[in-house]
Amino acid sequence: MSETRGVSTIQDPSNEAAADVPDSLCVTVVGAGHVGLVTAATLASMGHEVRALDADAEKIRSLEAGTPWFFEPGLEELVRRGMDEGRLTFTTEGAIALAGADIVFVCVGTPARENGDANLLAVEAATVDIARHARGRLVIVEKSTVPAGTSTRIRQTVARERPDLIDQIEVVSNPEFLREGSAVEDSLMPERILIGAESEVGLQMMRRLYASLLERGVPLIETDIVTAELAKHACNAFLALKISYMNALARVCERAGADVVSIGEVMGSDARIGPHFLSAGLGFGGFCFPKDLVAFERLAESLGYEFSLLREVTRINDEVIAVTREKIREALWNLEGKRIALLGLSFKPDTDDVRFSPALKLASTLLAEGAHVVGCDPEASHAAKEEVDGLEIAPDAYEAARGAHCVVLCTEWEEFTRLDLNRLRESTAYPVFVDGRNVFDPLAMTEAGFAYIPTGRPLPKV
Ligand code: UDX
């Protein structure tokens, strides 16, 4: 199967191949991380029997007590419901998790190697484990973001481990598009489901797995495997490109005296561009965009194509941190000994994830300049403190701002948008406010007495 089959909104697949596939499937999810745990809990809520496998005993202990080991809105409720209904279990034992599974999702991490390549060691280890425990017909689903061509490696590994079963094991690519902070919502009602398969059998099994979503009209896009694998990198890289475009535009706006927020509105009202991912600011972070960009560029290079556009996206994103540091320096003169308050430490709101967080990159660069940096975050303070040596943590924004020479809004948590600006300003030593996400109304900030420094917007006239 190599052709792209296009988009379909299948009501109920009832052809022959689907006829012998049971309604409720036995699913194993390997890797109970940000993607795996959400996938497991969502599939359990659809009525499947789901076992989540993770090598980390501490994580599994916490999950067995009904508590996800990371913060994600709505996830704890979904996990507990799955457990109460007897459809969701957790284990560290491959033999228990994998025995009798119809479908196994590979949701292990694919971090970047030193050279930027995706490190697929965990995917290989999971494949070996799955193959060794397989007893019969089985679909292996690539859910982790992997470079195009990984399915061939998975098949090769299965063939080496279990030559007896190779005709009964299908490999399917079903990339996730969930966003941290709204991962549960994104999984319960995705914008689309993408399935790359090499046979009708694998495809039919996946249609049956997602039958409840397809019945509700969620579009299904069916492709060959390599197309599905590449599509995931293509989406993430394009979204990152939109953000870097807006950040480069912000630099031009700052020089021209134009407003990047208004330009974003103009651009977003053009249906061909679309209104999303047009916010300039401190740039993108998280475990996906930065590593996927580099991995995608490396993949293209390995195929003989220099995708230099992707390098530029990363460069512009890195530049944002230095630009922000220089804005603070310009406002404060010397950075040494200055107290700088960072509001928001997670890489985006509604998550406690600080991996590749722009806020922490800024904290590190300010600390390296001799500044005293105090951060606060509704969920990510603990993780941030572990990550950045010398970062002080305050319980809230007012405490962080106490005696600060500059306050920087790094992550646009909702609670920061409701701050009492007069109270905040009264806490500070110098009333300097850098808005790294363009959250505040420039006039309101000026009226509250702040020297307000937005991103890519003209300074309000006083
Ligand atoms: C991303 C993809 O959106 C998702 O489809 C994929 O499955 C995983 O990677 P996520 O990393 O959770 O999801 O975050 P996302 O909401 O995409 O934001 C990524 C980063 O971009 C954040 O740091 C965010 O603050 C930043 N961003 C987003 C901007 O700087 N400007 C914008 O306009 C939008």
Side-chain angles (χ1 to χ4, degrees), residues 246 249 259-271 273-276 278-280 438 457:
M246 295 313 287
L249 191 62
D259 185 351
V260 76
V261 174
S262 300
I263 295 180
E265 279 167 25
V266 175
M267 291 171 65
S269 61
D270 185 327
I273 296 174
H276 306 292
L278 297 180
S279 298
N438 284 335
R457 311 193 76 179

Side-chain angles (χ1 to χ4, degrees), residues 116-301:
D117 285 348
N119 183 336
L120 300 176
L121 267 175
V123 175
E124 183 182 359
T127 306
V128 169
D129 214 18
I130 294 164
R132 288 187 184 162
H133 289 103
R135 291 191 187 155
R137 202 173 85 176
L138 180 66
V139 177
I140 300 177
V141 185
E142 293 175 348
K143 194 75 169 166
S144 310
T145 303
V146 290
T150 302
S151 69
T152 311
R153 290 296 194 179
I154 292 179
R155 275 202 76 74
Q156 186 186 52
T157 303
V158 171
R160 284 179 182 153
E161 289 290 332
R162 294 298 297 273
D164 56 318
L165 277 186
I166 189 61
D167 291 338
Q168 296 186 59
I169 296 184
E170 303 292 327
V171 182
V172 162
S173 166
N174 173 217
E176 54 78 23
F177 294 103
L178 54 86
R179 295 159 297 173
E180 287 182 34
S182 53
V184 169
E185 221 174 286
D186 290 349
S187 303
L188 291 174
M189 199 55 194
E191 285 182 318
R192 78 291 210 193
I193 297 170
L194 171 58
I195 299 174
E198 57 196 358
S199 79
E200 253 335 276
V201 179
L203 201 52
Q204 292 299 344
M205 200 75 156
M206 295 304 286
R207 285 182 184 156
R208 189 52 62 100
L209 182 79
Y210 289 124
S212 61
L213 295 181
L214 300 177
E215 277 160 18
R216 281 156 64 203
V218 175
L220 172 66
I221 304 176
E222 297 171 1
T223 67
D224 57 89
I225 296 195
V226 76
T227 302
E229 289 172 333
L230 204 58
K232 176 61 205 274
H233 267 146
C235 287
N236 275 3
F238 192 78
L239 290 168
L241 183 146
K242 281 181 97 173
I243 298 168
S244 277
Y245 183 88
M246 295 313 287
N247 280 324
L249 191 62
R251 302 293 82 81
V252 179
C253 285
E254 280 160 6
R255 287 160 174 80
D259 185 351
V260 76
V261 174
S262 300
I263 295 180
E265 279 167 25
V266 175
M267 291 171 65
S269 61
D270 185 327
R272 293 168 302 175
I273 296 174
H276 306 292
F277 278 65
L278 297 180
S279 298
L282 269 193
F284 57 80
F287 195 57
C288 292
F289 284 180
K291 83 168 166 64
D292 287 354
L293 269 173
V294 185
F296 192 20
E297 187 202 325
R298 297 277 305 170
L299 174 79
E301 195 183 321

Side-chain angles (χ1 to χ4, degrees), residues 436-454:
R437 296 289 174 187
N438 284 335
V439 160
F440 292 96
D441 172 23
L443 202 60
M445 290 302 276
T446 313
E447 281 171 2
F450 276 111
Y452 179 65
I453 305 171

Side-chain angles (χ1 to χ4, degrees), residues 36-49:
L37 185 57
V38 175
T39 302
T42 309
L43 290 172
S45 80
M46 291 176 197
H48 301 296
E49 188 200 316

